[in-house]
Amino acid sequence: MIWSKARVEFLAFLFLVGLGLALRHPGLLVLAIPLAWHFALGVAFAPGNPQRKLKCERTVQPRRVREGEEIRVSLALRNEGKEAFEVFMADQGFPGFTLVDGRPWETRLLRPGESFDLAYTVRATRGVYRFSAVTVEVKGPLGLLPWRGEIPCPAEVVVLPRYEELSRLELPARRTLPIPGTTRARRGGLGLEFYGIREFRPGDETKRIAWKAFARRGIPVVVEYEEERAADVAIVLDVRAKAYRGAAPELFDHAVRAAAALAHYHLRQGHRVGLLKYGAYLDWVFPGYGKRHEERILRELAEAQLGESEVFEELGRLPTRLILPGSLIILVSPLVLGDEEVIGKLVARGYRVFVVVPDPASALLLGMEESAEAELSRRILGLERWTLLRRIRRTGATVLEWDVRQPLAPLVRRIRPGFRVWR
Amino acid sequence: MALIFAWSAAFLAWAGSAFPTAVFWLTLLLPPLFCTLGYFLRRQAFWILGFVGLVGLAMELAIVGKFLLGLGTLALALFSWDFAEFSRYPSSEEKEIWRMKLRALCWSAGAIGSGLVLAVAASFLRFSLNFWVLLGALVFLWLLLRLWLREMQNLYGAEAKGKRSLSRPTE
């Protein structure tokens, strides 16, 4: 396919010559000469393939942002050839980008050795965006046979989920790790909370002797504090599209933010945190500690997408062998009927299960005005979910039903072990 | 500027026809109107229609014997055609646009001017050729261009040919 300008000129020339010959009219034949000459010059000076002559550099600042923050993308296109090009450059766009300032396209005349910069600012939604190239159109002086193609210009920007800072979540795992942390280990040792007193043994520090109890009992006793240790936390993010039906992607974004907030909180507390994206696929981030691990988890969450898979349609295929018994499993999911059985099995196997249920009805109502109809529909949906949540409550799992219009942190702060459902 | 050239070409064609006032001659307005639509709607198709219409006007002048006016109309049509590109690619800097327009103007003026000189020079040539020789030459020229354009097409990235492996497993 030859581009339209060259084609039109060529066809016009052929038409003039053909008509001139048909009518035996020399004037028409002579009239075709300027057209043919224009076409010939345009083709002769058409740019060759400029891919080796044009170099592009991309700068993305910053490369790691949170949802809603701005990203400045700068492109520098340099002409390393020996001829001038008229260049139209357009950067690839992403559906998650909203242009804030500048524009991602520009036309310039690039002389040899010259370069031109293009900069624009976007606000991005959660995701990992991989820029690969810029689209370039290079025209010759008469605009015939332009070259259209891509100049490689790779870069990557990670837009992490925006999450709340959780101040407290008193939901200990059933089994702890032999590493200091913040989870009460139900055993005497070093800690802050009073655990009990016991007889003095050789080797105990004298400053731990409870003098009043010693005076009462007549034998030396020491104070024991409850040991605080790290625990294993597995965050399971439900990415089954059917669980979010009707409210995706807004509800899913809230679920991702909740998972990020919980991961951040537990890592900050010194726990070993793993992440499992369950649904369309199995994506397991092995448990780990520290800031680098947090970055890994946040990146995985940034890339999380909904999907469907027949294999992982039910929660029953949850790979529990990856999660140590006694760990705290935090399931972030709007849930579907049938999930309650799996949650019950998890509790029976010795896991402490905490289910964060982003309320689909609240996500649906997020963009709607408050009205009687909206309230009624919310209540009907609420009743349906109430049945499901009641069954889960009976299994012994802790359930937090989260109205996504409200912040998560205050709800989480109210959770105490022993309480089952918080709304 | 492209619109000025397009309207000038139509005006020249009208002037060359001795300013006829019959309703039929209103069709003269169609080519520049198409160009105007192409400019404001940013549609290449309208520009093509406008350009073809202007070439048609030049042809009409040449047929009725006003060869030089026909050449003038064609030259203005080509100027308009070259400058139409700028309606597609806006730039944020006015200075850049002027820089490119000046360059295009120089190139267009050079190409069109030299084409006009060639055409006028050719009009002074007096020789006779057998019709079939002319037709044969035309066909030969056309075939030559077809071959050359095919080469260009391959050079500028036509679809790849040959055996290619699928990127996904076949069922």
Side-chain angles (χ1 to χ4, degrees), chain B residues 65-82:
Chain B
K66 289 165 181 170
F67 167 68
L68 283 177
L69 284 171
L71 274 181
T73 307
L74 184 74
L76 287 169
L78 280 170
F79 267 120
S80 154
W81 183 235
D82 282 344

Side-chain angles (χ1 to χ4, degrees), chain A residues 1 5 9-10 14 16-17 25 28 30-31 37-38 43 47 103 106-109 111 114 137 139 141, chain B residues 59 62-63 67 74 81-82 85 89 91-93 96 99 107 111 114-115 119 122 138 142 145 148 153 156:
Chain A
M1 177 82 183
K5 190 171 177 181
E9 271 194 40
F10 184 58
L14 279 185
L16 276 176
V17 174
H25 196 296
L28 289 179
V30 174
L31 201 64
W37 183 246
H38 188 270
V43 168
R103 52 186 180 181
E106 183 65 88
T107 312
R108 287 287 172 92
L109 179 63
R111 295 218 160 84
E114 273 186 358
E137 184 173 313
K139 289 193 299 174
Chain B
M59 217 165 64
I63 286 172
F67 167 68
L74 184 74
W81 183 235
D82 282 344
E85 292 289 305
Y89 303 131
S91 174
S92 57
E93 286 185 28
E96 274 300 314
R99 206 175 150 197
W107 271 92
S114 53
L138 184 66
W142 183 72
L145 280 167
W148 182 78
Q153 208 170 349
Y156 282 85

Side-chain angles (χ1 to χ4, degrees), chain A residues 94-167:
Chain A
F94 292 103
F97 279 9
T98 312
L99 196 65
V100 177
D101 183 36
R103 52 186 180 181
W105 40 265
E106 183 65 88
T107 312
R108 287 287 172 92
L109 179 63
L110 263 188
R111 295 218 160 84
E114 273 186 358
S115 70
F116 87 83
D117 299 325
L118 174 65
Y120 60 95
T121 308
V122 288
R123 190 170 284 128
T125 53
R126 178 182 59 82
V128 176
Y129 300 93
R130 291 179 184 93
F131 295 96
S132 57
V134 284
T135 307
V136 168
E137 184 173 313
V138 177
K139 289 193 299 174
L142 292 175
L144 267 77
L145 295 175
W147 180 88
R148 290 189 188 91
E150 291 190 333
I151 304 287
C153 203
E156 188 184 86
V157 59
V158 182
V159 183
L160 302 174
R162 189 182 65 240
Y163 57 84
E164 293 175 51
E165 285 283 342
L166 305 180
S167 57

Side-chain angles (χ1 to χ4, degrees), chain A residues 153-210:
Chain A
C153 203
E156 188 184 86
V157 59
V158 182
V159 183
L160 302 174
R162 189 182 65 240
Y163 57 84
E164 293 175 51
E165 285 283 342
L166 305 180
S167 57
R168 193 174 64 195
L169 172 59
E170 288 187 13
L171 204 62
R174 292 199 168 145
R175 191 175 291 178
T176 53
L177 298 166
I179 301 163
T182 55
T183 297
R184 290 182 194 172
R186 289 191 217 156
R187 57 193 292 169
L190 296 171
L192 296 170
E193 295 289 326
F194 177 77
Y195 186 67
I197 52 172
R198 62 165 170 80
E199 277 184 34
F200 181 86
R201 289 181 206 140
D204 283 339
E205 292 175 13
T206 50
K207 68 178 180 184
R208 286 174 60 196
I209 292 173

Side-chain angles (χ1 to χ4, degrees), chain B residues 75-169:
Chain B
L76 287 169
L78 280 170
F79 267 120
S80 154
W81 183 235
D82 282 344
F83 274 81
E85 292 289 305
F86 289 98
S87 65
R88 288 174 61 205
Y89 303 131
S91 174
S92 57
E93 286 185 28
E94 198 68 20
K95 194 180 151 193
E96 274 300 314
I97 287 281
W98 283 109
R99 206 175 150 197
M100 283 189 284
K101 276 187 181 173
L102 192 67
R103 184 172 179 261
L105 186 70
C106 292
W107 271 92
S108 285
I112 295 164
S114 53
L116 286 180
V117 170
L118 279 177
V120 172
S123 71
F124 287 107
L125 291 177
R126 292 286 177 266
F127 59 90
S128 60
L129 277 177
N130 185 312
F131 172 77
W132 294 109
V133 173
L134 267 177
L135 194 63
L138 184 66
V139 170
F140 178 72
L141 181 73
W142 183 72
L143 282 174
L144 210 65
L145 280 167
R146 285 288 297 180
L147 280 171
W148 182 78
L149 286 174
R150 189 173 291 175
E151 281 299 307
M152 291 294 287
Q153 208 170 349
N154 290 337
L155 188 70
Y156 282 85
E159 276 187 30
K161 292 186 180 76
K163 275 188 173 179
R164 309 194 76 191
S165 59
L166 291 171
S167 58
R168 59 173 182 224

Side-chain angles (χ1 to χ4, degrees), chain A residues 325-339:
Chain A
S327 305
L328 170 64
I329 295 180
I330 301 176
L331 174 64
V332 185
S333 166
L335 301 172
V336 289
L337 281 171
D339 289 348

